[in-house]
DNA sequence: CTGTAATCCTGCGAGC
DNA sequence: TGCTCGCAGGATTACA
């Protein structure tokens, strides 16, 4: 799956290709994603202009406006949208890539790959395409930013980069769960997934099975810094491509070459040469060095 | 509150 | 070559 660095890369890649463009029409495939796309959403989105594209946790938000904000300030008030409970903030698309989702902008003439479920035609002969082999991803349209922000804030904790040392320590040290489970919990910190949870624990020299309430304040701080560090470097490397992930313009990531523990079961620890071990935690394969990580 | 397992899907590599 | 099995960057739900 795409985790925070991969999603961030997609968003950065897509931004110059999408912002300011008009979405002329939307075509949805037959097979449904995690959240079935409603035909009414295609109508609502058609004619909209992409105002912004941003990331929140592992989610991608595409903000839409009915018309250019400064062009022709007067004129009719897009009547079709008034009945939708449209808040003042405008509407948005909310996308999640799940395990195998890909979001790319390509020429409308380029061949359509299998498992392409949503196509947004742009006003410049290109298309925004959402492809997802396993269909664990989702795509929704929100009529108001109120509804969207409510959903995001109810399901997501702070961004790792905004994480305050205090609140992080409090949250972790109050939990009896193991670190791996805490790191994967999107309501604690948003955007960390299986790869970067393992890599962060390794960098902080903490065993992923350690209980949160067994950590000292220094342990917690080391872990917080490690998360920020790993994610920052991964973003610099445009994320990790293991198999399905590609950036918004089709480029692969490079951070998979930097893995210290993830996927290195049986190989030598880069620090002490002991064998990297693997166990199942929180339902996910977890990689670690039992000598370096306590 | 924990952890565990199953669920949603398709594809790929390992092992027989 | 071909088959079955287990596993995969996620999230949610049910249950012990």
């Amino acid at each position: 799956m795409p985790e925070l660095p991969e999603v961030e890369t997609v968003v950065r890649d897509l931004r110059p290709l999408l912002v300011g463009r008009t979405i002329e029409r939307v075509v949805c495939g037959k097979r449904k994603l995690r959240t079935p796309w409603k035909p009414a959403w295609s109508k609502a989105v058609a004619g909209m202009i992409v105002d912004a594209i941003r990331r929140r946790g592992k989610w991608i938000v595409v903000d839409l406006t009915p018309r250019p904000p400064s062009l022709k300030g007067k004129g009719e008030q897009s009547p079709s949208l008034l009945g939708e409970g449209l808040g003042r903030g405008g509407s948005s698309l909310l996308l999640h890539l799940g395990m195998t989702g890909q979001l790319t902008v390509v020429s409308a003439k380029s061949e359509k790959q299998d498992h392409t479920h949503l196509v947004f035609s742009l006003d410049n002969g290109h298309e925004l395409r959402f492809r997802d082999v396993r269909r664990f991803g989702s795509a929704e349209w929100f009529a108001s930013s109120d509804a969207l922000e409510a959903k995001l804030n109810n399901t997501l904790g702070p961004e790792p980069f905004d994480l305050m040392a205090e609140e992080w320590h409090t949250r972790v040290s109050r939990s009896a769960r193991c670190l791996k489970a805490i790191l994967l919990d999107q309501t604690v910190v948003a955007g960390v997934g299986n790869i970067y949870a393992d890599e962060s624990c390794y960098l902080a020299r903490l065993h992923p099975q350690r209980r949160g309430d067994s950590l000292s304040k220094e342990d917690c701080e080391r872990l917080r810094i490690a998360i920020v560090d790993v994610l920052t470097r991964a973003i610099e490397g445009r994320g990790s491509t293991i198999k399905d992930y590609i950036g918004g313009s089709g480029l692969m990531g490079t951070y998979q070459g930097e893995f210290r523990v993830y996927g290195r079961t049986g190989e030598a620890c880069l620090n002490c040469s002991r064998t990297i071990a693997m166990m199942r935690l929180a339902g996910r394969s977890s990689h670690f060095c039992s000598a370096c990580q306590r």
Side-chain angles (χ1 to χ4, degrees):
Chain A
M1 118 37 189
E3 303 182 29
L4 185 152
E6 291 76 30
V7 177
E8 179 65 26
T9 301
V10 168
V11 165
R12 290 182 184 185
D13 284 354
L14 293 180
R15 188 168 289 136
L17 304 174
L18 279 183
V19 172
R21 298 257 70 93
T22 297
I23 296 173
E24 292 184 329
R25 65 191 210 109
V26 184
V27 176
C28 174
K30 290 209 168 88
R31 308 204 297 191
K32 56 174 122 170
L33 297 163
R34 198 167 175 44
T35 313
W37 178 264
K38 296 189 169 77
W41 294 347
S42 295
K43 290 203 180 82
V45 169
M48 292 276 203
I49 289 161
V50 177
D51 191 43
I53 176 166
R54 55 200 167 96
R55 177 194 61 73
R56 176 75 171 93
K58 299 174 194 171
W59 295 86
I60 296 168
V61 180
V62 181
D63 295 311
L64 305 168
T65 48
R67 69 178 69 255
S70 52
L71 274 179
K72 316 225 171 201
K74 303 211 167 161
E76 355 63 43
Q77 281 283 322
S78 70
S80 61
L81 292 166
L82 292 177
E84 288 278 359
L86 188 63
R88 22 176 69 309
S91 69
S92 303
L93 292 168
L94 180 63
L95 310 164
H96 196 293
L97 302 179
M99 290 279 241
T100 52
Q102 299 173 340
L103 200 57
T104 53
V105 168
V106 292
S107 163
K109 286 179 291 198
S110 71
E111 199 181 344
K112 193 151 302 138
Q113 292 177 277
D114 281 347
H115 307 290
T116 300
H117 302 113
L118 270 174
V119 176
F120 301 82
S121 304
L122 306 175
D123 56 357
N124 62 350
H126 286 241
E127 292 176 342
L128 172 65
R129 296 181 184 174
F130 186 16
R131 174 171 186 256
D132 184 1
V133 171
R134 288 175 72 182
R135 285 184 280 141
F136 288 172
S138 71
E140 294 173 84
W141 181 72
F142 283 77
S144 80
S145 64
D146 294 346
L148 171 73
E149 297 304 327
K151 161 157 182 155
L152 290 177
N153 292 329
N154 285 337
T155 53
L156 298 177
E159 289 291 314
F161 309 106
D162 301 336
L163 202 51
M164 298 295 182
E166 287 288 310
E167 61 173 336
W168 169 246
H169 169 65
T170 308
R171 193 73 200 269
V172 171
S173 61
R174 234 190 325 169
S175 176
R177 298 149 87 196
C178 70
L179 292 182
K180 185 62 179 276
I182 294 171
L183 288 167
L184 292 178
D185 184 344
Q186 301 297 298
T187 69
V188 177
V189 56
V192 178
N194 204 35
I195 292 177
Y196 301 108
D198 284 2
E199 294 296 316
S200 298
C201 285
Y202 178 80
L203 207 61
R205 304 192 310 278
L206 293 167
H207 197 295
Q209 201 174 23
R210 273 281 288 278
R211 283 169 53 134
D213 57 13
S214 77
L215 295 208
S216 70
K217 196 159 189 175
E218 292 70 40
D219 289 334
C220 285
E221 186 57 3
R222 227 172 42 249
L223 182 54
R224 188 185 67 80
I225 303 283
I227 295 166
V228 171
D229 216 63
V230 164
L231 294 177
T232 302
R233 289 176 200 276
I235 290 171
E236 286 169 5
R238 299 182 44 82
S240 311
T241 294
I242 296 172
K243 54 182 304 195
D244 299 293
Y245 163 73
I246 52 169
S249 38
L251 271 172
M252 296 198 345
T254 62
Y255 194 75
Q256 64 279 7
E258 311 288 317
F259 290 166
R260 295 174 172 88
V261 283
Y262 183 84
R264 298 194 63 241
T265 311
E267 295 177 36
C269 170
L270 298 170
N271 182 239
C272 75
S273 301
R274 272 194 57 167
T275 306
I276 298 298
M278 199 261 268
M279 71 186 296
R280 225 147 169 91
L281 290 172
R284 315 294 296 278
S285 62
S286 305
H287 315 72
F288 58 93
C289 170
S290 56
C292 295
Q293 295 173 257
R294 302 290 184 171

PDB file of all heavy atoms in Angstrom, chain A residues 6-36:
ATOM      1  N   GLU A   6       4.313   7.821   0.052  1.00  0.00           N
ATOM      2  CA  GLU A   6       3.847   7.526  -1.308  1.00  0.00           C
ATOM      3  C   GLU A   6       2.677   8.445  -1.662  1.00  0.00           C
ATOM      4  O   GLU A   6       2.616   8.990  -2.770  1.00  0.00           O
ATOM      5  CB  GLU A   6       3.419   6.059  -1.421  1.00  0.00           C
ATOM      6  CG  GLU A   6       4.570   5.056  -1.339  1.00  0.00           C
ATOM      7  CD  GLU A   6       5.087   4.863   0.080  1.00  0.00           C
ATOM      8  OE1 GLU A   6       4.292   4.998   1.027  1.00  0.00           O
ATOM      9  OE2 GLU A   6       6.289   4.595   0.259  1.00  0.00           O
ATOM     10  N   VAL A   7       1.753   8.614  -0.718  1.00  0.00           N
ATOM     11  CA  VAL A   7       0.602   9.475  -0.975  1.00  0.00           C
ATOM     12  C   VAL A   7       1.065  10.917  -1.172  1.00  0.00           C
ATOM     13  O   VAL A   7       0.596  11.621  -2.071  1.00  0.00           O
ATOM     14  CB  VAL A   7      -0.426   9.370   0.174  1.00  0.00           C
ATOM     15  CG1 VAL A   7      -1.594  10.319  -0.064  1.00  0.00           C
ATOM     16  CG2 VAL A   7      -0.934   7.935   0.308  1.00  0.00           C
ATOM     17  N   GLU A   8       2.011  11.351  -0.366  1.00  0.00           N
ATOM     18  CA  GLU A   8       2.557  12.708  -0.499  1.00  0.00           C
ATOM     19  C   GLU A   8       3.186  12.903  -1.883  1.00  0.00           C
ATOM     20  O   GLU A   8       3.018  13.942  -2.520  1.00  0.00           O
ATOM     21  CB  GLU A   8       3.589  12.956   0.611  1.00  0.00           C
ATOM     22  CG  GLU A   8       4.252  14.324   0.563  1.00  0.00           C
ATOM     23  CD  GLU A   8       3.286  15.488   0.815  1.00  0.00           C
ATOM     24  OE1 GLU A   8       2.254  15.287   1.480  1.00  0.00           O
ATOM     25  OE2 GLU A   8       3.567  16.598   0.326  1.00  0.00           O
ATOM     26  N   THR A   9       3.899  11.882  -2.336  1.00  0.00           N
ATOM     27  CA  THR A   9       4.540  11.960  -3.652  1.00  0.00           C
ATOM     28  C   THR A   9       3.502  12.076  -4.766  1.00  0.00           C
ATOM     29  O   THR A   9       3.644  12.882  -5.690  1.00  0.00           O
ATOM     30  CB  THR A   9       5.426  10.716  -3.886  1.00  0.00           C
ATOM     31  OG1 THR A   9       6.408  10.649  -2.850  1.00  0.00           O
ATOM     32  CG2 THR A   9       6.129  10.790  -5.233  1.00  0.00           C
ATOM     33  N   VAL A  10       2.449  11.282  -4.650  1.00  0.00           N
ATOM     34  CA  VAL A  10       1.384  11.336  -5.652  1.00  0.00           C
ATOM     35  C   VAL A  10       0.779  12.734  -5.688  1.00  0.00           C
ATOM     36  O   VAL A  10       0.596  13.324  -6.759  1.00  0.00           O
ATOM     37  CB  VAL A  10       0.288  10.277  -5.335  1.00  0.00           C
ATOM     38  CG1 VAL A  10      -0.946  10.517  -6.196  1.00  0.00           C
ATOM     39  CG2 VAL A  10       0.823   8.871  -5.551  1.00  0.00           C
ATOM     40  N   VAL A  11       0.503  13.267  -4.520  1.00  0.00           N
ATOM     41  CA  VAL A  11      -0.102  14.593  -4.439  1.00  0.00           C
ATOM     42  C   VAL A  11       0.807  15.661  -5.045  1.00  0.00           C
ATOM     43  O   VAL A  11       0.369  16.508  -5.820  1.00  0.00           O
ATOM     44  CB  VAL A  11      -0.458  14.930  -2.972  1.00  0.00           C
ATOM     45  CG1 VAL A  11      -0.751  16.409  -2.791  1.00  0.00           C
ATOM     46  CG2 VAL A  11      -1.650  14.092  -2.521  1.00  0.00           C
ATOM     47  N   ARG A  12       2.082  15.600  -4.718  1.00  0.00           N
ATOM     48  CA  ARG A  12       3.032  16.590  -5.269  1.00  0.00           C
ATOM     49  C   ARG A  12       3.151  16.467  -6.778  1.00  0.00           C
ATOM     50  O   ARG A  12       3.245  17.462  -7.493  1.00  0.00           O
ATOM     51  CB  ARG A  12       4.408  16.417  -4.632  1.00  0.00           C
ATOM     52  CG  ARG A  12       4.430  16.843  -3.183  1.00  0.00           C
ATOM     53  CD  ARG A  12       5.822  16.695  -2.606  1.00  0.00           C
ATOM     54  NE  ARG A  12       5.824  17.019  -1.186  1.00  0.00           N
ATOM     55  CZ  ARG A  12       6.919  17.068  -0.440  1.00  0.00           C
ATOM     56  NH1 ARG A  12       8.098  16.814  -0.983  1.00  0.00           N
ATOM     57  NH2 ARG A  12       6.839  17.366   0.839  1.00  0.00           N
ATOM     58  N   ASP A  13       3.158  15.222  -7.249  1.00  0.00           N
ATOM     59  CA  ASP A  13       3.243  15.002  -8.698  1.00  0.00           C
ATOM     60  C   ASP A  13       2.008  15.540  -9.407  1.00  0.00           C
ATOM     61  O   ASP A  13       2.102  16.125 -10.485  1.00  0.00           O
ATOM     62  CB  ASP A  13       3.345  13.499  -9.006  1.00  0.00           C
ATOM     63  CG  ASP A  13       4.732  12.937  -8.710  1.00  0.00           C
ATOM     64  OD1 ASP A  13       5.641  13.726  -8.387  1.00  0.00           O
ATOM     65  OD2 ASP A  13       4.900  11.703  -8.801  1.00  0.00           O
ATOM     66  N   LEU A  14       0.857  15.315  -8.812  1.00  0.00           N
ATOM     67  CA  LEU A  14      -0.385  15.670  -9.486  1.00  0.00           C
ATOM     68  C   LEU A  14      -0.701  17.162  -9.432  1.00  0.00           C
ATOM     69  O   LEU A  14      -1.372  17.686 -10.317  1.00  0.00           O
ATOM     70  CB  LEU A  14      -1.558  14.886  -8.873  1.00  0.00           C
ATOM     71  CG  LEU A  14      -1.549  13.374  -9.099  1.00  0.00           C
ATOM     72  CD1 LEU A  14      -2.768  12.740  -8.445  1.00  0.00           C
ATOM     73  CD2 LEU A  14      -1.532  13.041 -10.586  1.00  0.00           C
ATOM     74  N   ARG A  15      -0.202  17.818  -8.408  1.00  0.00           N
ATOM     75  CA  ARG A  15      -0.584  19.225  -8.187  1.00  0.00           C
ATOM     76  C   ARG A  15      -0.427  20.092  -9.436  1.00  0.00           C
ATOM     77  O   ARG A  15      -1.403  20.718  -9.881  1.00  0.00           O
ATOM     78  CB  ARG A  15       0.186  19.787  -6.991  1.00  0.00           C
ATOM     79  CG  ARG A  15      -0.295  21.177  -6.580  1.00  0.00           C
ATOM     80  CD  ARG A  15       0.276  21.583  -5.235  1.00  0.00           C
ATOM     81  NE  ARG A  15      -0.301  20.820  -4.130  1.00  0.00           N
ATOM     82  CZ  ARG A  15       0.400  20.303  -3.129  1.00  0.00           C
ATOM     83  NH1 ARG A  15       1.715  20.439  -3.112  1.00  0.00           N
ATOM     84  NH2 ARG A  15      -0.203  19.647  -2.157  1.00  0.00           N
ATOM     85  N   PRO A  16       0.754  20.130 -10.054  1.00  0.00           N
ATOM     86  CA  PRO A  16       0.898  21.003 -11.236  1.00  0.00           C
ATOM     87  C   PRO A  16       0.087  20.522 -12.436  1.00  0.00           C
ATOM     88  O   PRO A  16      -0.181  21.300 -13.355  1.00  0.00           O
ATOM     89  CB  PRO A  16       2.402  20.954 -11.540  1.00  0.00           C
ATOM     90  CG  PRO A  16       2.891  19.715 -10.889  1.00  0.00           C
ATOM     91  CD  PRO A  16       2.030  19.485  -9.687  1.00  0.00           C
ATOM     92  N   LEU A  17      -0.308  19.263 -12.417  1.00  0.00           N
ATOM     93  CA  LEU A  17      -1.061  18.729 -13.561  1.00  0.00           C
ATOM     94  C   LEU A  17      -2.563  18.917 -13.390  1.00  0.00           C
ATOM     95  O   LEU A  17      -3.324  18.776 -14.340  1.00  0.00           O
ATOM     96  CB  LEU A  17      -0.757  17.227 -13.723  1.00  0.00           C
ATOM     97  CG  LEU A  17       0.720  16.853 -13.882  1.00  0.00           C
ATOM     98  CD1 LEU A  17       0.894  15.338 -13.888  1.00  0.00           C
ATOM     99  CD2 LEU A  17       1.263  17.453 -15.173  1.00  0.00           C
ATOM    100  N   LEU A  18      -2.975  19.215 -12.162  1.00  0.00           N
ATOM    101  CA  LEU A  18      -4.414  19.265 -11.890  1.00  0.00           C
ATOM    102  C   LEU A  18      -4.957  20.634 -11.506  1.00  0.00           C
ATOM    103  O   LEU A  18      -6.066  21.005 -11.924  1.00  0.00           O
ATOM    104  CB  LEU A  18      -4.755  18.297 -10.752  1.00  0.00           C
ATOM    105  CG  LEU A  18      -4.910  16.826 -11.092  1.00  0.00           C
ATOM    106  CD1 LEU A  18      -5.331  16.059  -9.830  1.00  0.00           C
ATOM    107  CD2 LEU A  18      -5.947  16.631 -12.189  1.00  0.00           C
ATOM    108  N   VAL A  19      -4.202  21.362 -10.700  1.00  0.00           N
ATOM    109  CA  VAL A  19      -4.741  22.613 -10.179  1.00  0.00           C
ATOM    110  C   VAL A  19      -5.024  23.602 -11.317  1.00  0.00           C
ATOM    111  O   VAL A  19      -4.175  23.825 -12.177  1.00  0.00           O
ATOM    112  CB  VAL A  19      -3.791  23.241  -9.131  1.00  0.00           C
ATOM    113  CG1 VAL A  19      -4.264  24.639  -8.738  1.00  0.00           C
ATOM    114  CG2 VAL A  19      -3.694  22.341  -7.913  1.00  0.00           C
ATOM    115  N   GLY A  20      -6.235  24.145 -11.330  1.00  0.00           N
ATOM    116  CA  GLY A  20      -6.634  25.089 -12.365  1.00  0.00           C
ATOM    117  C   GLY A  20      -7.342  24.443 -13.544  1.00  0.00           C
ATOM    118  O   GLY A  20      -7.969  25.109 -14.354  1.00  0.00           O
ATOM    119  N   ARG A  21      -7.236  23.116 -13.614  1.00  0.00           N
ATOM    120  CA  ARG A  21      -7.892  22.397 -14.720  1.00  0.00           C
ATOM    121  C   ARG A  21      -9.377  22.215 -14.431  1.00  0.00           C
ATOM    122  O   ARG A  21      -9.790  22.087 -13.279  1.00  0.00           O
ATOM    123  CB  ARG A  21      -7.259  21.019 -14.906  1.00  0.00           C
ATOM    124  CG  ARG A  21      -5.784  21.041 -15.271  1.00  0.00           C
ATOM    125  CD  ARG A  21      -5.585  20.759 -16.758  1.00  0.00           C
ATOM    126  NE  ARG A  21      -6.041  21.822 -17.610  1.00  0.00           N
ATOM    127  CZ  ARG A  21      -5.273  22.811 -18.056  1.00  0.00           C
ATOM    128  NH1 ARG A  21      -4.007  22.876 -17.746  1.00  0.00           N
ATOM    129  NH2 ARG A  21      -5.773  23.732 -18.840  1.00  0.00           N
ATOM    130  N   THR A  22     -10.153  22.168 -15.499  1.00  0.00           N
ATOM    131  CA  THR A  22     -11.570  21.860 -15.364  1.00  0.00           C
ATOM    132  C   THR A  22     -11.779  20.372 -15.610  1.00  0.00           C
ATOM    133  O   THR A  22     -11.190  19.802 -16.524  1.00  0.00           O
ATOM    134  CB  THR A  22     -12.393  22.651 -16.401  1.00  0.00           C
ATOM    135  OG1 THR A  22     -12.250  24.040 -16.135  1.00  0.00           O
ATOM    136  CG2 THR A  22     -13.870  22.260 -16.331  1.00  0.00           C
ATOM    137  N   ILE A  23     -12.587  19.751 -14.743  1.00  0.00           N
ATOM    138  CA  ILE A  23     -12.961  18.352 -14.961  1.00  0.00           C
ATOM    139  C   ILE A  23     -14.202  18.358 -15.844  1.00  0.00           C
ATOM    140  O   ILE A  23     -15.248  18.862 -15.452  1.00  0.00           O
ATOM    141  CB  ILE A  23     -13.257  17.640 -13.625  1.00  0.00           C
ATOM    142  CG1 ILE A  23     -11.986  17.593 -12.767  1.00  0.00           C
ATOM    143  CG2 ILE A  23     -13.797  16.226 -13.883  1.00  0.00           C
ATOM    144  CD1 ILE A  23     -12.198  17.061 -11.369  1.00  0.00           C
ATOM    145  N   GLU A  24     -14.059  17.869 -17.047  1.00  0.00           N
ATOM    146  CA  GLU A  24     -15.179  17.972 -17.984  1.00  0.00           C
ATOM    147  C   GLU A  24     -16.207  16.877 -17.798  1.00  0.00           C
ATOM    148  O   GLU A  24     -17.394  17.092 -17.874  1.00  0.00           O
ATOM    149  CB  GLU A  24     -14.659  18.017 -19.421  1.00  0.00           C
ATOM    150  CG  GLU A  24     -13.913  19.330 -19.669  1.00  0.00           C
ATOM    151  CD  GLU A  24     -13.445  19.510 -21.088  1.00  0.00           C
ATOM    152  OE1 GLU A  24     -13.140  18.487 -21.753  1.00  0.00           O
ATOM    153  OE2 GLU A  24     -13.401  20.665 -21.537  1.00  0.00           O
ATOM    154  N   ARG A  25     -15.725  15.667 -17.539  1.00  0.00           N
ATOM    155  CA  ARG A  25     -16.677  14.608 -17.238  1.00  0.00           C
ATOM    156  C   ARG A  25     -16.019  13.474 -16.472  1.00  0.00           C
ATOM    157  O   ARG A  25     -14.796  13.377 -16.406  1.00  0.00           O
ATOM    158  CB  ARG A  25     -17.374  14.079 -18.490  1.00  0.00           C
ATOM    159  CG  ARG A  25     -16.449  13.385 -19.463  1.00  0.00           C
ATOM    160  CD  ARG A  25     -17.185  13.148 -20.769  1.00  0.00           C
ATOM    161  NE  ARG A  25     -16.674  11.953 -21.444  1.00  0.00           N
ATOM    162  CZ  ARG A  25     -17.350  10.820 -21.556  1.00  0.00           C
ATOM    163  NH1 ARG A  25     -18.559  10.698 -21.041  1.00  0.00           N
ATOM    164  NH2 ARG A  25     -16.819   9.793 -22.200  1.00  0.00           N
ATOM    165  N   VAL A  26     -16.864  12.641 -15.893  1.00  0.00           N
ATOM    166  CA  VAL A  26     -16.378  11.539 -15.075  1.00  0.00           C
ATOM    167  C   VAL A  26     -16.991  10.248 -15.575  1.00  0.00           C
ATOM    168  O   VAL A  26     -18.202  10.183 -15.819  1.00  0.00           O
ATOM    169  CB  VAL A  26     -16.773  11.742 -13.588  1.00  0.00           C
ATOM    170  CG1 VAL A  26     -16.173  10.646 -12.720  1.00  0.00           C
ATOM    171  CG2 VAL A  26     -16.354  13.121 -13.095  1.00  0.00           C
ATOM    172  N   VAL A  27     -16.161   9.241 -15.754  1.00  0.00           N
ATOM    173  CA  VAL A  27     -16.678   7.929 -16.153  1.00  0.00           C
ATOM    174  C   VAL A  27     -16.254   6.902 -15.114  1.00  0.00           C
ATOM    175  O   VAL A  27     -15.087   6.829 -14.733  1.00  0.00           O
ATOM    176  CB  VAL A  27     -16.148   7.516 -17.547  1.00  0.00           C
ATOM    177  CG1 VAL A  27     -16.618   6.100 -17.893  1.00  0.00           C
ATOM    178  CG2 VAL A  27     -16.614   8.508 -18.609  1.00  0.00           C
ATOM    179  N   CYS A  28     -17.248   6.147 -14.666  1.00  0.00           N
ATOM    180  CA  CYS A  28     -17.003   5.172 -13.610  1.00  0.00           C
ATOM    181  C   CYS A  28     -17.174   3.759 -14.138  1.00  0.00           C
ATOM    182  O   CYS A  28     -18.115   3.482 -14.889  1.00  0.00           O
ATOM    183  CB  CYS A  28     -17.993   5.445 -12.482  1.00  0.00           C
ATOM    184  SG  CYS A  28     -17.944   4.226 -11.178  1.00  0.00           S
ATOM    185  N   GLY A  29     -16.265   2.881 -13.784  1.00  0.00           N
ATOM    186  CA  GLY A  29     -16.353   1.486 -14.208  1.00  0.00           C
ATOM    187  C   GLY A  29     -17.456   0.739 -13.468  1.00  0.00           C
ATOM    188  O   GLY A  29     -18.100   1.280 -12.579  1.00  0.00           O
ATOM    189  N   LYS A  30     -17.636  -0.510 -13.812  1.00  0.00           N
ATOM    190  CA  LYS A  30     -18.730  -1.283 -13.235  1.00  0.00           C
ATOM    191  C   LYS A  30     -18.408  -1.835 -11.849  1.00  0.00           C
ATOM    192  O   LYS A  30     -19.258  -1.916 -10.981  1.00  0.00           O
ATOM    193  CB  LYS A  30     -19.064  -2.461 -14.156  1.00  0.00           C
ATOM    194  CG  LYS A  30     -19.722  -2.035 -15.458  1.00  0.00           C
ATOM    195  CD  LYS A  30     -20.646  -3.133 -15.969  1.00  0.00           C
ATOM    196  CE  LYS A  30     -21.525  -2.624 -17.103  1.00  0.00           C
ATOM    197  NZ  LYS A  30     -20.902  -2.766 -18.411  1.00  0.00           N
ATOM    198  N   ARG A  31     -17.169  -2.251 -11.674  1.00  0.00           N
ATOM    199  CA  ARG A  31     -16.839  -2.920 -10.423  1.00  0.00           C
ATOM    200  C   ARG A  31     -16.643  -1.906  -9.303  1.00  0.00           C
ATOM    201  O   ARG A  31     -16.000  -0.883  -9.488  1.00  0.00           O
ATOM    202  CB  ARG A  31     -15.597  -3.766 -10.622  1.00  0.00           C
ATOM    203  CG  ARG A  31     -15.810  -4.671 -11.833  1.00  0.00           C
ATOM    204  CD  ARG A  31     -14.975  -5.874 -11.814  1.00  0.00           C
ATOM    205  NE  ARG A  31     -13.559  -5.568 -11.863  1.00  0.00           N
ATOM    206  CZ  ARG A  31     -12.635  -6.500 -12.063  1.00  0.00           C
ATOM    207  NH1 ARG A  31     -12.999  -7.759 -12.238  1.00  0.00           N
ATOM    208  NH2 ARG A  31     -11.365  -6.193 -12.097  1.00  0.00           N
ATOM    209  N   LYS A  32     -17.192  -2.218  -8.157  1.00  0.00           N
ATOM    210  CA  LYS A  32     -17.162  -1.194  -7.113  1.00  0.00           C
ATOM    211  C   LYS A  32     -15.957  -1.259  -6.199  1.00  0.00           C
ATOM    212  O   LYS A  32     -15.431  -2.306  -5.890  1.00  0.00           O
ATOM    213  CB  LYS A  32     -18.453  -1.202  -6.305  1.00  0.00           C
ATOM    214  CG  LYS A  32     -18.817  -2.510  -5.656  1.00  0.00           C
ATOM    215  CD  LYS A  32     -20.050  -2.301  -4.776  1.00  0.00           C
ATOM    216  CE  LYS A  32     -21.185  -3.197  -5.177  1.00  0.00           C
ATOM    217  NZ  LYS A  32     -22.312  -3.266  -4.306  1.00  0.00           N
ATOM    218  N   LEU A  33     -15.570  -0.064  -5.813  1.00  0.00           N
ATOM    219  CA  LEU A  33     -14.488   0.089  -4.845  1.00  0.00           C
ATOM    220  C   LEU A  33     -15.086  -0.089  -3.455  1.00  0.00           C
ATOM    221  O   LEU A  33     -16.258  -0.394  -3.306  1.00  0.00           O
ATOM    222  CB  LEU A  33     -13.857   1.481  -4.992  1.00  0.00           C
ATOM    223  CG  LEU A  33     -13.206   1.748  -6.347  1.00  0.00           C
ATOM    224  CD1 LEU A  33     -12.986   3.233  -6.567  1.00  0.00           C
ATOM    225  CD2 LEU A  33     -11.886   0.993  -6.435  1.00  0.00           C
ATOM    226  N   ARG A  34     -14.226   0.115  -2.466  1.00  0.00           N
ATOM    227  CA  ARG A  34     -14.665   0.021  -1.068  1.00  0.00           C
ATOM    228  C   ARG A  34     -15.901   0.876  -0.815  1.00  0.00           C
ATOM    229  O   ARG A  34     -16.835   0.460  -0.147  1.00  0.00           O
ATOM    230  CB  ARG A  34     -13.509   0.540  -0.221  1.00  0.00           C
ATOM    231  CG  ARG A  34     -13.524   0.182   1.187  1.00  0.00           C
ATOM    232  CD  ARG A  34     -12.124   0.530   1.727  1.00  0.00           C
ATOM    233  NE  ARG A  34     -11.974   0.361   3.120  1.00  0.00           N
ATOM    234  CZ  ARG A  34     -12.403  -0.669   3.805  1.00  0.00           C
ATOM    235  NH1 ARG A  34     -13.084  -1.623   3.222  1.00  0.00           N
ATOM    236  NH2 ARG A  34     -12.185  -0.738   5.085  1.00  0.00           N
ATOM    237  N   THR A  35     -15.889   2.085  -1.339  1.00  0.00           N
ATOM    238  CA  THR A  35     -17.068   2.951  -1.284  1.00  0.00           C
ATOM    239  C   THR A  35     -17.585   3.075  -2.706  1.00  0.00           C
ATOM    240  O   THR A  35     -16.897   3.612  -3.564  1.00  0.00           O
ATOM    241  CB  THR A  35     -16.670   4.360  -0.788  1.00  0.00           C
ATOM    242  OG1 THR A  35     -15.842   4.236   0.353  1.00  0.00           O
ATOM    243  CG2 THR A  35     -17.895   5.168  -0.466  1.00  0.00           C
ATOM    244  N   PRO A  36     -18.775   2.569  -2.963  1.00  0.00           N
ATOM    245  CA  PRO A  36     -19.292   2.642  -4.338  1.00  0.00           C
ATOM    246  C   PRO A  36     -19.476   4.085  -4.795  1.00  0.00           C
ATOM    247  O   PRO A  36     -19.993   4.910  -4.052  1.00  0.00           O
ATOM    248  CB  PRO A  36     -20.651   1.938  -4.223  1.00  0.00           C
ATOM    249  CG  PRO A  36     -20.608   1.158  -2.957  1.00  0.00           C
ATOM    250  CD  PRO A  36     -19.684   1.888  -2.046  1.00  0.00           C
TER     251      PRO A  36
END
